[in-house]
Amino acid sequence: MGLEFLDIFEKWANEYDASVSGKDEQYREVFRNYNEILEYVADRSIGHVIEFGTGTGNLTKKLLEKELTVVGIEPSVPMRQLAHQKLGADVLVTPGDFLQFDTSLFPAESLVSTYAFHHLTDKEKEEAVINYGKLLQTGGKIVFADTMFETADSFADTIVQAKQKGYTQLAEDLEREYYTTIPVLKQIFESNGFHITFTQFNHFVWVLEATKQ
Ligand SMILES: C[S@@+](CC[C@H](N)C(=O)[O-])C[C@H]1O[C@@H](n2cnc3c(N)ncnc32)[C@H](O)[C@@H]1O
């Protein structure tokens, strides 16, 4: 369920923290303001937090520093190992993904994620949002940072520009995974009972903040 890209993370796990620090030129803009993005998501989280796609635990660490209680859900074994090394073995980072996870981890007031929701197709994104709408109480929040585009045309232009710059890996990534547009996400969340806002942090990444009505 949305796990077709897991191989990438098995290979990338050990280099991941270097990539987010801007080591890789192709991805430098994608990760520009990475710390500010994580900080912004953590600042908007309330109560008990469930984090999807924990990766190496960088957002989890910020959430814990804000004295929130957090459970991570991460499908990749090496990513979970790295998160545990960073956070300590007593921080709970469990197997699972956006669609299949242990519902006994609820109740939660916030569901958060950074750089991961694009692993789901738009249909799967809607399936996930319907499920989260059932699990959250009124006032419960979803705060997801991810690459998204204002229009299909700006998405297509970004791929053309990546190819022109010789960023073949970035272009392949944009064409392979399920990046979507803000109007599509707005429709998914609003038709399932959420009020939603979007805030941009670099050419690629926006944070969506959705509150259950
Ligand atoms: C680009 S990393 C982001 C890691 C971390 N959240 C961050 O911001 O640095 C994407 C993470 O999502 C995980 N992932 C991939 N498919 C997923 C899915 N269907 N559900 C949840 N997580 C997924 C990957 O294993 C990886 O750890």
Side-chain angles (χ1 to χ4, degrees), residues 1-3 6 9 12 16 20 34 38 51-55 58 74-76 79 96-98 114-116 119-120:
M1 304 294 266
L3 296 177
L6 222 49
F9 296 102
W12 195 12
Y16 183 76
V20 303
Y34 177 77
L38 271 49
E51 181 191 353
F52 294 99
T54 311
N58 295 329
E74 167 56 57
S76 156
M79 285 294 199
D97 61 73
F98 281 109
T114 50
Y115 292 88
H119 295 114
L120 302 190

Side-chain angles (χ1 to χ4, degrees), residues 93-105:
V93 181
T94 63
D97 61 73
F98 281 109
L99 293 170
Q100 292 192 315
F101 52 87
D102 179 0
T103 49
S104 73
L105 300 172

Side-chain angles (χ1 to χ4, degrees), residues 36-92:
E36 289 78 0
I37 291 165
L38 271 49
E39 198 69 39
Y40 185 87
V41 171
D43 279 343
R44 272 143 194 84
S45 302
I46 52 169
H48 179 58
V49 184
I50 294 183
E51 181 191 353
F52 294 99
T54 311
T56 59
N58 295 329
L59 173 62
T60 328
K61 190 162 179 281
K62 288 200 186 294
L63 292 161
L64 291 167
E65 283 165 3
K66 297 199 183 288
E67 300 189 350
L68 294 158
T69 60
V70 191
V71 174
I73 294 175
E74 167 56 57
S76 156
V77 175
M79 285 294 199
R80 283 203 304 276
Q81 284 166 347
L82 288 164
H84 279 131
Q85 277 168 28
K86 187 174 288 170
L87 304 167
D90 52 338
V91 175
L92 192 57

Side-chain angles (χ1 to χ4, degrees), residues 26 34 52 55 63 65 70 88 95 111 133 143 155 161 191 200 206:
Q26 296 200 30
Y34 177 77
F52 294 99
L63 292 161
E65 283 165 3
V70 191
L111 307 181
V143 191
F155 182 16
Q161 283 163 23
S191 62
Q200 187 169 21
W206 295 68

